[in-house]
Amino acid sequence: MKIGIIGATGYGGLELIRILHTHPHVTEIHVFSSSEQDIQISNKYAHLVNIIDHSLQPIEIDRLKELNVVFTGTPAGVASTILPALIGTGPKLIDLSGDFRIQDPAIYEAWYNHKPAPTDAVQKAIYGLPEWNKPQIQNAELIANPGCYPTATLLSLLPLIKEGLIDPSQLYTDAKSGVSGAGNKPSQLTHYSELNENFSIYKINAHQHIPEIEQTIETLTTKKPLLTFNTHLVPMTRGIMATSYAPLANGATQQQLTEALKTRYANEPFVRIHDNKPVFSTKQVYGSNYCDIQVVVDPRTNRATIVSVIDNLMKGAAGQAVQNMNLLCGFDETAGLDLVPLMI
Amino acid sequence: MKIGIIGATGYGGLELIRILHTHPHVTEIHVFSSSEQDIQISNKYAHLVNIIDHSLQPIEIDRLKELNVVFTGTPAGVASTILPALIGTGPKLIDLSGDFRIQDPAIYEAWYNHKPAPTDAVQKAIYGLPEWNKPQIQNAELIANPGCYPTATLLSLLPLIKEGLIDPSQLYTDAKSGVSGAGNKPSQLTHYSELNENFSIYKINAHQHIPEIEQTIETLTTKKPLLTFNTHLVPMTRGIMATSYAPLANGATQQQLTEALKTRYANEPFVRIHDNKPVFSTKQVYGSNYCDIQVVVDPRTNRATIVSVIDNLMKGAAGQAVQNMNLLCGFDETAGLDLVPLMI
Amino acid sequence: MKIGIIGATGYGGLELIRILHTHPHVTEIHVFSSSEQDIQISNKYAHLVNIIDHSLQPIEIDRLKELNVVFTGTPAGVASTILPALIGTGPKLIDLSGDFRIQDPAIYEAWYNHKPAPTDAVQKAIYGLPEWNKPQIQNAELIANPGCYPTATLLSLLPLIKEGLIDPSQLYTDAKSGVSGAGNKPSQLTHYSELNENFSIYKINAHQHIPEIEQTIETLTTKKPLLTFNTHLVPMTRGIMATSYAPLANGATQQQLTEALKTRYANEPFVRIHDNKPVFSTKQVYGSNYCDIQVVVDPRTNRATIVSVIDNLMKGAAGQAVQNMNLLCGFDETAGLDLVPLMI
Amino acid sequence: MKIGIIGATGYGGLELIRILHTHPHVTEIHVFSSSEQDIQISNKYAHLVNIIDHSLQPIEIDRLKELNVVFTGTPAGVASTILPALIGTGPKLIDLSGDFRIQDPAIYEAWYNHKPAPTDAVQKAIYGLPEWNKPQIQNAELIANPGCYPTATLLSLLPLIKEGLIDPSQLYTDAKSGVSGAGNKPSQLTHYSELNENFSIYKINAHQHIPEIEQTIETLTTKKPLLTFNTHLVPMTRGIMATSYAPLANGATQQQLTEALKTRYANEPFVRIHDNKPVFSTKQVYGSNYCDIQVVVDPRTNRATIVSVIDNLMKGAAGQAVQNMNLLCGFDETAGLDLVPLMI
């Protein structure tokens, strides 16, 4: 398997390299960049010395067509100018950006402030949430790899909404992310001296992942949600926690909610449902492709608190992308991804 | 002014020392401990060398009576065994623990798993939230200094509930705290290697500050709230953010909510209302007694997101305690507290 | 006292504001910037709301002449273009940059890669290390405020070299700094995701503070040192530790070294000499103007390990600058600086 | 291959589990604990749910004899009471503690304050530094896995001393470690609120790794060193940097030192020699088994600065232990260890 990574110096790209280097079916990794070329990637990132010493290449369609899988880990609006020309030409395509996730171009434009991707490409794109879309993914030409926040939020909420156990019209998700989600570009917000020992809320009620979450809930459960969703920056590098709240529906009980999650994910290798944990933490999944979920019903308020954690660079980006690659290519779904979390 | 601090080696106690050392009306600081005695506090905490070199003293009622103000920064259940005997004997009494905050002993016992304080002492105790209780505080014999989470939550919610701008029956507060809130006792949860690069939720739906918040909302607004409240541990030492959510009431608008906050706190030196900040952070108040608040109405969902930040050791503990001392003693409310936050 | 701060949005400038806001003799703080003007400093730094709400002003000599003290906290090469014109015109001048510290212009140019300041201004400048230069500082027109690393290194080494207790020809200083020393400009090196959970060495054998340290040792002890000096970046915001090593000279003993330090600094309010501490930490001085020092003789190797810690923004920059202002203006040396460290 | 890990809940043990779970030749991992039994390890460490759900077992010699390899990751003085009885009974033995590293029992006792291991077991133990001891390791019955600090220090110094390029009688190593090196037992020193934003020196001139380093230098180079060695705690979880200093010997040049390192390690898969890196960081090797080294000669002082970084839990403990297992068992030396560092 020859793999190409466009945007290889971004954090999604670097994490793809980390996973694919030990993937049993990957023989070649080629790295591409639109902004930097002809420099060794290991010159820029010393951790890759002796691992990937070849140079960043310019993006040329003919060159890309020779590969088996092409990943794009590029800023908003870049993949939509590259991938449409590759559809149907050979390589499987997996986009880690948001370019192909939103079906309605007007909604995309409103939340992303960007020109949408060509409509036919968007319509061909399959939303790559394997636990919910496996058959479609296996036959896809182009995968829209889910956003980090949506992955954590959706995996925990979908079974409860689908089974009618919580009220989708009164959803609140309070999400928190490590800083790597902001990418590798330095800024005042991510400047160490100002972000360290600091906890921030940003894009209040306005994060572009909101329409992605609502669209997916509606598609997969046929119920129309109304979600308040906020995002916070935690002074750490990796990890997302989504804490969600909703009123119980139809007299649902603790046992019913926990069972709904356990049943739904009984055969899914990367989702773990927990019970009665007094403390629940992002480090449970650090560096791995797991999504850990726990739900706690509050009989006093008749509401549920639903907690899920992922590593934003793994299940929230590169890990899920490789999971999608495995499905697209007919490999074992866990190939290259059977990694133990770094609890310390 | 002669000050006594019981529990001086706890973090509330250490922060009181930090503030009171430069307080213009404080001449003597005496340090007491129930667990450690006859050792210099600067032997245990090297930052106090040349600042407070005298020894920790045992807790003797006669000794305490000679002081002008006695603070208790002790674990749950300790102040309730010390302070009742001091009421009316001379010193002003300010308890930083939760011992005297909950009026109903059954509720205290249910949430704290502890024997409640003597009822008459609890009834004499004034809840020390100066922005809402100033006259009662000025004449109090015993102050129940508010909890850290309640301070952040209440200051932001009270005006909005009182003015009927949000629905108190559908309140959600997602709170996040630095680790110093857990005190100075080492534990697996607060062990550096496991907490670093980690974000955790704990005491899901079960934090003992819930009845304190609900009781105070009801007392001060005469409206009965129903609050879902959760607490998270952020890998940082200081700082609390409370992110609260509620449906708008009575067609309330962004402008009405912001104005309600600005009007209510126009003359309060330690509450700052912000507008339109794209990022809102705990470091805005680091090391200071400020509570910063911003509200953002979401017209799409007809709900409000209300954010407030404090330094948990300052406005959430020792700073507010000194603010209460200033009011009790007739000093300028800001004496010793006019500190610029450490943004870096 | 009317104070002007040029470069007020830099970290040295922000820390000056933090100190001077509560300084008993300061009535007005004016903020200047060469790069940003007519914006409220509190718009850029929300922690200053209600504290300093006036606007950043352009740098005009006539405006500056009306002030009592002018601080410059500007990048290398800026103060040397502003301050010479102000010498003798009224305001006391204190430069926090390295522009006036190096007496030999060739050495300045070699290490700073910058045009040196005018020679007559450099010759008028007094090196503002109060514990060693107090009389000259009191009569100075222009203070060259010492660098952060030199302050920590010199205060610990000078008494031992001067008393002939260690060998100045075999000096090694291994210095470590929090990230705020790198200033407020975002860069790849100080990008949170890459610096967090990371410890780096930088400018190996090439830091521009080397000639400042060697020049000062030679000036103040008349002995010629040969120093190997390296600098490391610690994933924290504030704090410097300088760990120095040298062979003992003349059969010197643990007691002699400790006594030399204690005697030398017996009357210095900001230097604290410790004994027998099993752990020695930067947090002992966090947010304060202290320099804490401990020396440990190793009889096995016949060498001394000398440890000193400061807060790089305080004793290493703004705190020491205010200490110099106090001396220049005839105030108590500790005015505005009697701050308890934030151990937590 | 059936593997046993004694002390599986310690950080060395947990890291062994992380590596061995994906090791191509390991089929069973058994976990033992002297202090905790009959509880699932995944109950204590949630990151192991679905990965290792079996229970901690008591330490029984007959049970251990059935295994192919036994690792001990226990506190000082424990392995020396367990492993001697297993020598020659079947399993390969690899001890991650210091029990079998020091040849002279008097020196062990002086630095460890502990009863030494039985002399014959110590004499059978091979010091497991594969880059220097490969043939002996391949035939060993018992491996004394090197300490974390010694690994970083020795790999960088040994070639330079052996080739006569630096003076071993004037060695200084200033070492810095992440906090996981202190193990999993909570203490005041490792309490998050006090260690965060803090940098400390500890065990000044007295770390028990000093005799291990000196003994190994003497054994492997036949030159007698005199080393000043100090250790610091960095507010991060993983990573060690050893910054070493020594005068150049015999007119050695930059090129000679770099070439000596490159030549010595040309065929070693886990040692990478760097050139001219302006910044050198522990994250280059995070989560991997690499040791990265750079030397910078200072012509001004005629001394060398030698920097090496490892992940203390990998090349400094569990990674090197698995490397030793690979050699003992005749596997590829990199089996299970070909991991890309987590730069972010």
Side-chain angles (χ1 to χ4, degrees):
Chain A
M1 293 275 297
K2 297 181 190 176
I3 306 292
I5 303 172
I6 300 176
T9 59
Y11 291 162
L14 290 172
E15 191 72 349
L16 282 169
I17 292 172
R18 183 173 81 89
I19 304 169
L20 295 173
H21 178 71
T22 52
H23 193 286
H25 302 297
V26 171
T27 47
E28 294 180 22
I29 300 175
H30 299 266
V31 289
F32 300 85
S33 169
S34 55
S35 54
E36 300 171 295
Q37 283 136 32
D38 296 327
I39 62 158
Q40 284 185 10
I41 191 168
S42 61
N43 239 11
K44 184 167 166 133
Y45 286 114
H47 73 291
L48 293 177
V49 166
N50 291 6
I51 295 170
I52 297 205
D53 289 314
H54 44 263
S55 293
L56 289 161
Q57 304 167 46
I59 296 161
E60 291 166 10
I61 293 294
D62 286 346
R63 183 80 196 76
L64 295 168
K65 283 182 187 168
E66 298 161 10
L67 302 169
N68 299 103
V69 182
V70 171
F71 295 94
T72 40
T74 41
V78 175
S80 64
T81 67
I82 299 172
L83 295 188
L86 284 168
I87 294 178
T89 68
K92 315 274 187 192
L93 307 175
I94 302 174
D95 176 33
L96 279 71
S97 84
D99 282 13
F100 301 97
R101 294 184 202 143
I102 304 296
Q103 290 297 314
D104 182 333
I107 291 181
Y108 178 89
E109 210 158 353
W111 288 86
Y112 278 81
N113 249 322
H114 240 286
K115 219 179 126 244
T119 307
D120 55 338
V122 173
Q123 284 169 350
K124 279 184 187 146
I126 298 298
Y127 191 67
L129 193 64
E131 289 76 11
W132 288 83
N133 262 351
K134 211 161 290 184
Q136 297 91 315
I137 291 167
Q138 285 164 331
N139 298 302
E141 292 182 295
L142 167 59
I143 297 288
N145 206 57
C148 50
Y149 288 123
T151 296
T153 306
L154 289 166
L155 286 175
S156 60
L157 293 183
L158 284 172
L160 306 179
I161 294 173
K162 189 155 193 195
E163 300 299 321
L165 300 171
I166 57 173
D167 178 354
S169 74
Q170 297 189 54
L171 288 178
Y172 295 85
T173 296
D174 189 282
K176 303 91 178 171
S177 176
V179 185
S180 60
N184 72 350
K185 202 164 159 239
S187 72
Q188 210 65 40
L189 179 64
T190 57
H191 190 48
Y192 187 89
S193 299
E194 304 189 15
L195 197 143
N196 180 42
E197 267 290 286
N198 200 0
F199 182 87
S200 303
I201 189 170
Y202 67 102
K203 297 192 184 174
I204 307 180
N205 300 333
H207 198 285
Q208 72 275 11
H209 285 166
I210 293 173
E212 179 180 341
I213 300 171
E214 291 197 339
Q215 166 189 290
T216 308
I217 290 175
E218 194 167 356
T219 307
L220 294 174
T221 71
T222 70
K223 296 182 186 164
K224 193 158 182 64
L226 189 59
L227 173 68
T228 294
F229 178 81
N230 274 296
T231 51
H232 303 76
L233 219 43
V234 184
M236 62 186 192
T237 300
R238 285 173 183 246
I240 278 181
M241 180 180 286
T243 318
S244 297
Y245 304 101
L248 297 170
N250 309 312
T253 64
Q254 172 74 51
Q255 199 188 333
Q256 282 177 300
L257 274 77
T258 300
E259 282 309 311
L261 291 166
K262 288 192 173 172
T263 304
R264 181 65 189 77
Y265 295 121
N267 299 312
E268 295 298 340
F270 295 119
V271 181
R272 303 188 293 192
I273 310 304
H274 296 254
D275 258 342
N276 300 318
K277 290 265 177 248
V279 176
F280 205 76
S281 302
T282 56
K283 258 201 178 172
Q284 294 171 201
V285 299
Y286 203 93
S288 81
N289 202 45
Y290 289 109
C291 175
D292 279 13
I293 304 175
Q294 180 166 247
V295 60
V296 180
V297 162
D298 184 4
R300 202 182 67 86
T301 57
N302 219 29
R303 298 169 190 158
T305 299
I306 305 132
V307 188
S308 59
V309 291
I310 59 170
D311 181 323
N312 58 305
L313 294 176
M314 290 293 295
K315 185 65 179 167
Q320 186 148 264
V322 172
Q323 188 181 355
N324 281 315
M325 178 190 90
N326 288 340
L327 293 171
L328 277 169
C329 299
F331 303 144
D332 186 298
E333 190 172 349
T334 65
L337 291 170
D338 184 19
L339 302 167
V340 179
L342 287 83
M343 204 281 309
I344 26 123
Chain B
M1 294 276 296
K2 295 180 192 175
I3 306 292
I5 303 173
I6 299 176
T9 59
Y11 291 161
L14 291 172
E15 190 74 348
L16 282 169
I17 291 173
R18 184 174 81 91
I19 305 169
L20 295 172
H21 179 71
T22 52
H23 192 287
H25 302 296
V26 171
T27 48
E28 294 178 22
I29 300 175
H30 299 266
V31 288
F32 300 85
S33 169
S34 54
S35 53
E36 301 171 294
Q37 282 137 32
D38 296 326
I39 62 158
Q40 284 185 13
I41 192 168
S42 61
N43 239 10
K44 185 168 164 130
Y45 286 115
H47 74 291
L48 293 177
V49 165
N50 291 8
I51 295 170
I52 298 205
D53 288 313
H54 43 265
S55 294
L56 289 161
Q57 304 167 46
I59 297 159
E60 291 166 10
I61 293 295
D62 286 347
R63 183 80 196 74
L64 295 167
K65 284 183 185 167
E66 297 161 11
L67 302 169
N68 299 105
V69 181
V70 171
F71 294 94
T72 40
T74 42
V78 175
S80 64
T81 67
I82 301 172
L83 295 187
L86 283 168
I87 295 177
T89 68
K92 316 275 189 191
L93 307 175
I94 302 174
D95 176 34
L96 279 72
S97 83
D99 283 13
F100 301 97
R101 293 183 202 145
I102 304 296
Q103 290 298 313
D104 183 332
I107 291 181
Y108 178 89
E109 212 159 349
W111 289 84
Y112 278 82
N113 249 322
H114 240 285
K115 221 178 124 245
T119 306
D120 55 337
V122 173
Q123 284 170 353
K124 279 183 187 148
I126 297 297
Y127 192 68
L129 193 64
E131 289 75 11
W132 288 83
N133 262 350
K134 212 161 288 184
Q136 297 92 312
I137 291 167
Q138 285 163 331
N139 298 302
E141 291 180 296
L142 167 61
I143 297 287
N145 207 57
C148 50
Y149 288 123
T151 296
T153 307
L154 290 165
L155 286 174
S156 60
L157 293 184
L158 284 171
L160 306 180
I161 295 172
K162 191 159 192 190
E163 299 299 322
L165 300 170
I166 57 173
D167 178 354
S169 74
Q170 297 189 53
L171 288 178
Y172 296 84
T173 295
D174 189 282
K176 301 92 179 171
S177 175
V179 185
S180 59
N184 72 350
K185 202 162 158 240
S187 71
Q188 209 65 40
L189 179 64
T190 58
H191 189 49
Y192 187 89
S193 299
E194 303 188 17
L195 197 143
N196 180 41
E197 267 290 285
N198 200 1
F199 182 87
S200 304
I201 189 170
Y202 67 103
K203 295 191 186 177
I204 307 178
N205 299 332
H207 198 285
Q208 71 276 10
H209 285 167
I210 293 173
E212 179 180 341
I213 299 170
E214 290 198 339
Q215 166 188 291
T216 308
I217 290 176
E218 193 167 356
T219 307
L220 293 174
T221 71
T222 70
K223 295 181 186 164
K224 194 156 183 62
L226 189 60
L227 172 68
T228 294
F229 178 82
N230 274 296
T231 51
H232 303 74
L233 218 44
V234 184
M236 63 185 192
T237 300
R238 286 172 183 249
I240 278 181
M241 178 180 287
T243 318
S244 299
Y245 304 101
L248 298 170
N250 309 311
T253 64
Q254 172 75 50
Q255 199 188 334
Q256 282 177 302
L257 274 77
T258 299
E259 281 311 311
L261 291 166
K262 288 192 173 173
T263 305
R264 181 63 189 79
Y265 296 121
N267 299 313
E268 296 299 340
F270 295 119
V271 181
R272 305 188 293 193
I273 311 303
H274 296 254
D275 259 343
N276 300 319
K277 290 265 177 249
V279 176
F280 206 75
S281 304
T282 56
K283 257 199 177 173
Q284 293 172 203
V285 299
Y286 203 93
S288 82
N289 202 45
Y290 288 110
C291 176
D292 279 14
I293 304 174
Q294 179 165 249
V295 61
V296 180
V297 161
D298 184 6
R300 203 181 66 86
T301 57
N302 219 29
R303 299 170 191 158
T305 299
I306 306 131
V307 188
S308 59
V309 292
I310 60 170
D311 180 325
N312 59 305
L313 294 177
M314 290 294 294
K315 186 65 177 169
Q320 186 147 266
V322 172
Q323 189 180 355
N324 280 315
M325 179 190 91
N326 288 340
L327 293 170
L328 277 169
C329 298
F331 304 144
D332 185 300
E333 190 172 347
T334 65
L337 292 171
D338 185 18
L339 302 167
V340 179
L342 286 84
M343 205 281 308
I344 28 126
Chain C
M1 293 274 299
K2 296 180 192 175
I3 306 293
I5 303 173
I6 300 176
T9 59
Y11 291 161
L14 290 172
E15 190 73 348
L16 282 168
I17 291 172
R18 184 173 82 89
I19 305 168
L20 295 172
H21 179 70
T22 52
H23 192 287
H25 302 296
V26 171
T27 48
E28 294 179 21
I29 300 175
H30 300 265
V31 288
F32 300 85
S33 169
S34 54
S35 54
E36 302 171 293
Q37 282 137 32
D38 295 327
I39 63 157
Q40 284 185 11
I41 191 168
S42 61
N43 239 10
K44 185 169 165 127
Y45 286 114
H47 74 290
L48 293 177
V49 164
N50 290 8
I51 295 170
I52 297 204
D53 289 312
H54 43 264
S55 293
L56 288 161
Q57 303 167 46
I59 297 160
E60 291 167 11
I61 293 295
D62 286 347
R63 184 77 197 76
L64 295 167
K65 284 182 184 166
E66 298 161 11
L67 302 168
N68 300 104
V69 182
V70 171
F71 294 93
T72 39
T74 41
V78 175
S80 64
T81 67
I82 300 171
L83 294 187
L86 284 168
I87 294 177
T89 68
K92 315 276 188 190
L93 307 174
I94 302 174
D95 176 34
L96 279 72
S97 83
D99 282 13
F100 301 97
R101 293 184 202 145
I102 303 297
Q103 290 297 313
D104 182 333
I107 290 182
Y108 178 89
E109 211 159 348
W111 288 85
Y112 278 82
N113 249 323
H114 239 285
K115 222 180 122 238
T119 307
D120 55 337
V122 173
Q123 284 169 354
K124 278 183 188 149
I126 298 298
Y127 191 67
L129 192 65
E131 290 75 11
W132 289 83
N133 262 351
K134 212 163 285 183
Q136 298 91 314
I137 291 167
Q138 285 162 331
N139 297 302
E141 292 181 295
L142 167 60
I143 297 287
N145 207 58
C148 50
Y149 288 122
T151 296
T153 306
L154 289 165
L155 287 174
S156 61
L157 292 184
L158 284 171
L160 306 179
I161 295 172
K162 190 157 192 193
E163 299 300 321
L165 300 170
I166 56 173
D167 177 354
S169 74
Q170 297 189 54
L171 288 178
Y172 296 85
T173 296
D174 189 282
K176 300 91 178 173
S177 175
V179 185
S180 59
N184 71 350
K185 202 163 159 241
S187 71
Q188 209 67 38
L189 179 63
T190 58
H191 189 49
Y192 187 88
S193 299
E194 304 189 15
L195 198 143
N196 180 42
E197 267 291 285
N198 201 1
F199 182 87
S200 304
I201 188 170
Y202 67 103
K203 296 191 185 176
I204 307 179
N205 299 331
H207 198 285
Q208 71 276 10
H209 285 167
I210 293 173
E212 179 180 341
I213 299 171
E214 290 197 339
Q215 166 189 290
T216 308
I217 290 175
E218 193 167 0
T219 308
L220 294 174
T221 72
T222 70
K223 295 181 186 162
K224 194 157 183 63
L226 189 60
L227 173 68
T228 294
F229 178 82
N230 273 297
T231 51
H232 303 75
L233 219 43
V234 185
M236 63 185 193
T237 300
R238 285 171 183 248
I240 279 181
M241 178 180 287
T243 317
S244 298
Y245 303 101
L248 298 170
N250 309 312
T253 65
Q254 172 75 51
Q255 199 188 335
Q256 282 177 301
L257 273 77
T258 299
E259 281 310 310
L261 291 165
K262 288 192 172 173
T263 304
R264 182 62 190 78
Y265 295 122
N267 298 313
E268 294 300 339
F270 295 119
V271 182
R272 304 188 292 193
I273 311 304
H274 296 254
D275 259 343
N276 301 318
K277 290 264 178 251
V279 176
F280 205 75
S281 303
T282 56
K283 258 201 177 171
Q284 294 172 201
V285 299
Y286 203 93
S288 82
N289 201 45
Y290 289 110
C291 175
D292 280 13
I293 304 174
Q294 179 166 247
V295 60
V296 179
V297 162
D298 183 6
R300 201 181 68 86
T301 57
N302 220 27
R303 299 172 189 154
T305 299
I306 306 131
V307 188
S308 59
V309 292
I310 60 170
D311 180 324
N312 59 304
L313 295 176
M314 290 293 295
K315 185 65 178 169
Q320 186 148 266
V322 173
Q323 188 181 355
N324 281 316
M325 178 191 91
N326 287 340
L327 293 170
L328 277 169
C329 298
F331 303 145
D332 185 297
E333 190 172 347
T334 66
L337 292 171
D338 185 18
L339 302 168
V340 179
L342 287 83
M343 203 282 308
I344 28 126
Chain D
M1 292 276 297
K2 296 180 191 175
I3 306 292
I5 303 173
I6 299 176
T9 58
Y11 291 161
L14 291 171
E15 191 73 348
L16 281 170
I17 291 172
R18 184 173 82 89
I19 304 169
L20 295 174
H21 179 71
T22 51
H23 192 287
H25 301 297
V26 171
T27 48
E28 294 179 22
I29 299 175
H30 299 265
V31 288
F32 300 84
S33 169
S34 54
S35 53
E36 301 171 294
Q37 282 137 32
D38 296 326
I39 62 158
Q40 283 185 11
I41 192 168
S42 61
N43 239 11
K44 184 167 165 131
Y45 286 114
H47 74 291
L48 292 178
V49 166
N50 290 8
I51 295 170
I52 297 203
D53 288 314
H54 43 265
S55 293
L56 289 162
Q57 304 166 46
I59 296 160
E60 291 165 11
I61 293 295
D62 286 346
R63 183 81 195 75
L64 295 167
K65 283 182 186 165
E66 298 161 10
L67 303 169
N68 299 106
V69 181
V70 171
F71 293 94
T72 40
T74 42
V78 175
S80 63
T81 67
I82 300 173
L83 295 187
L86 284 168
I87 294 178
T89 68
K92 316 275 188 189
L93 306 175
I94 302 174
D95 176 34
L96 280 71
S97 83
D99 283 13
F100 301 97
R101 293 184 202 143
I102 303 296
Q103 290 298 313
D104 182 334
I107 291 181
Y108 178 89
E109 210 159 351
W111 289 85
Y112 278 82
N113 249 322
H114 239 285
K115 221 178 124 242
T119 307
D120 54 338
V122 173
Q123 283 169 353
K124 279 184 189 146
I126 298 298
Y127 191 67
L129 193 65
E131 290 76 11
W132 289 82
N133 262 351
K134 213 162 288 185
Q136 297 92 315
I137 291 168
Q138 284 162 331
N139 298 301
E141 292 181 294
L142 167 60
I143 296 289
N145 207 56
C148 51
Y149 288 122
T151 296
T153 306
L154 289 166
L155 287 175
S156 61
L157 293 184
L158 283 172
L160 307 179
I161 295 173
K162 189 154 192 195
E163 300 299 320
L165 301 170
I166 57 173
D167 178 354
S169 74
Q170 298 189 53
L171 289 178
Y172 296 84
T173 296
D174 189 283
K176 302 91 178 171
S177 176
V179 185
S180 59
N184 72 349
K185 204 164 158 241
S187 71
Q188 209 66 39
L189 179 64
T190 58
H191 190 49
Y192 187 90
S193 299
E194 304 190 14
L195 198 145
N196 180 42
E197 267 291 284
N198 200 1
F199 181 87
S200 303
I201 188 170
Y202 67 102
K203 297 194 184 174
I204 308 178
N205 300 332
H207 199 284
Q208 72 275 9
H209 284 168
I210 294 173
E212 179 180 341
I213 299 171
E214 291 197 339
Q215 166 188 291
T216 309
I217 291 175
E218 195 168 354
T219 307
L220 294 173
T221 71
T222 70
K223 295 181 187 165
K224 195 159 183 60
L226 189 59
L227 173 68
T228 293
F229 179 81
N230 273 297
T231 51
H232 303 75
L233 219 43
V234 184
M236 64 185 190
T237 300
R238 285 172 183 248
I240 279 181
M241 179 180 286
T243 318
S244 298
Y245 303 101
L248 298 169
N250 309 312
T253 64
Q254 173 73 51
Q255 199 189 333
Q256 282 177 301
L257 275 77
T258 299
E259 281 310 311
L261 291 166
K262 288 192 173 173
T263 304
R264 180 65 189 77
Y265 295 121
N267 299 312
E268 295 299 340
F270 295 119
V271 181
R272 304 188 293 192
I273 310 304
H274 296 254
D275 259 342
N276 301 316
K277 291 264 177 248
V279 176
F280 205 75
S281 304
T282 57
K283 258 200 178 171
Q284 293 172 201
V285 299
Y286 202 93
S288 81
N289 201 45
Y290 289 110
C291 175
D292 279 14
I293 304 175
Q294 179 166 248
V295 60
V296 180
V297 161
D298 183 7
R300 203 182 66 86
T301 57
N302 218 29
R303 297 170 191 158
T305 299
I306 306 132
V307 188
S308 59
V309 292
I310 60 170
D311 181 323
N312 57 305
L313 294 177
M314 290 293 294
K315 186 66 178 167
Q320 185 147 265
V322 172
Q323 189 181 354
N324 281 314
M325 179 190 90
N326 288 340
L327 293 171
L328 276 169
C329 299
F331 303 144
D332 186 297
E333 191 172 348
T334 65
L337 291 171
D338 185 18
L339 302 167
V340 179
L342 287 83
M343 206 280 309
I344 27 125

